[in-house]
Amino acid sequence: MSDNERDERPQPKYGAYADKKPARPQFGEYATPEQQRAAIRVPASDDNESVPIEERDQRASASRDAGQSEQHPHHQSSRAHRAPNAPSANDDPGAEARRRTDRFSTYILLGVGLFSVLTTAPSLFQLPQMLTQAYAQFGMGDYSNTGLATTIGWIIFVVYAGLWIAALLLSLRRLAARKTTWWVPFVVGVIANVVYLILLTVAMVNDPAFMQYVSGMTG
């Protein structure tokens, strides 16, 4: 066979007689530690050990999470603020029952307070006549300071109505926030009755007939 004739025998692709050597793999078990770390963007260490696949995945996931937190910090802060207030699907059944009981008690107390305001209003608008009847029952004479009694009657009514409205608004807000609320209308009702007794005492003490009656009892 002459030199000019072509050798038609298949040429080996691998091995010592191959014309081209296969490129060294950059990934996998045959890649050098530097190539592995360059592929996953991890700086090489002194020991030049290969990086396990699980560790690489964990580092890549941590890097993505850190990047998202840096790019959108307000999203995480908003989730952190919403998390405590968001109702959980696994709420304690006992806690839910207590909330229903608290809601029912709150509405009952608010209803009692509204009924008290409406039924007390007529007597407050006629406070001088009411005091005159009370004086007659105890033999104290006639109530004469009608101007003061009329003013105090209107003041008591305004205080009653204002406290009930305040109790209603505060109760609705606390119920919406899923907080214990029954004590709000109860405390407001106690305050309203204390104000009523104080102002009624003022109207009676400033009447001459009442002071004469007290003087007669002490003398």
Side-chain angles (χ1 to χ4, degrees):
M1 182 184 294
S2 63
D3 295 337
N4 296 329
E5 292 181 358
R6 181 183 299 175
D7 187 1
E8 295 181 355
R9 290 179 300 175
Q11 297 294 327
K13 296 182 179 180
Y14 307 101
Y17 297 99
D19 293 337
K20 295 181 180 180
K21 301 296 183 180
R24 186 179 182 87
Q26 297 181 0
F27 310 99
E29 60 182 354
Y30 296 104
T32 62
E34 291 79 2
Q35 292 172 339
Q36 292 182 15
R37 296 184 182 276
I40 63 174
R41 295 181 177 81
V42 177
S45 60
D46 295 337
D47 53 6
N48 288 329
E49 294 180 355
S50 59
V51 181
I53 300 300
E54 295 181 357
E55 182 180 355
R56 179 189 64 186
D57 295 340
Q58 293 177 359
R59 293 183 180 179
S61 177
S63 300
R64 287 195 301 268
D65 295 341
Q68 292 178 359
S69 63
E70 291 178 357
Q71 293 177 1
H72 305 285
H74 60 282
H75 290 173
Q76 292 188 352
S77 61
S78 61
R79 288 196 298 267
H81 287 297
R82 289 196 300 266
N85 295 330
S88 174
N90 299 323
D91 281 346
D92 183 12
E96 186 62 28
R98 287 192 295 271
R99 279 193 291 267
R100 287 196 298 266
T101 303
D102 176 70
R103 189 182 303 109
F104 177 77
S105 302
T106 301
Y107 290 148
I108 289 295
L109 291 174
L110 288 173
V112 171
L114 180 61
F115 178 79
S116 178
V117 172
L118 296 178
T119 55
T120 309
S123 61
L124 293 176
F125 296 152
Q126 299 177 356
L127 188 58
Q129 292 83 349
M130 186 186 71
L131 290 176
T132 298
Q133 294 176 1
Y135 275 31
Q137 292 179 358
F138 289 97
M140 299 169 57
D142 295 331
Y143 184 81
S144 58
N145 200 349
T146 57
L148 177 63
T150 301
T151 303
I152 288 179
W154 277 99
I155 292 175
I156 294 174
F157 174 76
V158 171
V159 171
Y160 263 27
L163 287 176
W164 186 85
I165 293 174
L168 175 63
L169 296 178
L170 183 58
S171 297
L172 293 178
R173 172 179 290 186
R174 292 184 63 87
L175 287 175
R178 305 169 68 89
K179 298 180 180 179
T180 304
T181 312
W182 67 268
W183 60 269
V184 174
F186 178 80
V187 172
V188 171
V190 172
I191 294 175
N193 284 301
V194 170
V195 172
Y196 174 81
L197 292 176
I198 292 175
L199 293 178
L200 186 63
T201 302
V202 171
M204 295 176 61
V205 168
N206 286 275
D207 180 65
F210 179 80
M211 296 306 299
Q212 290 178 1
Y213 178 78
V214 173
S215 299
M217 292 182 61
T218 58

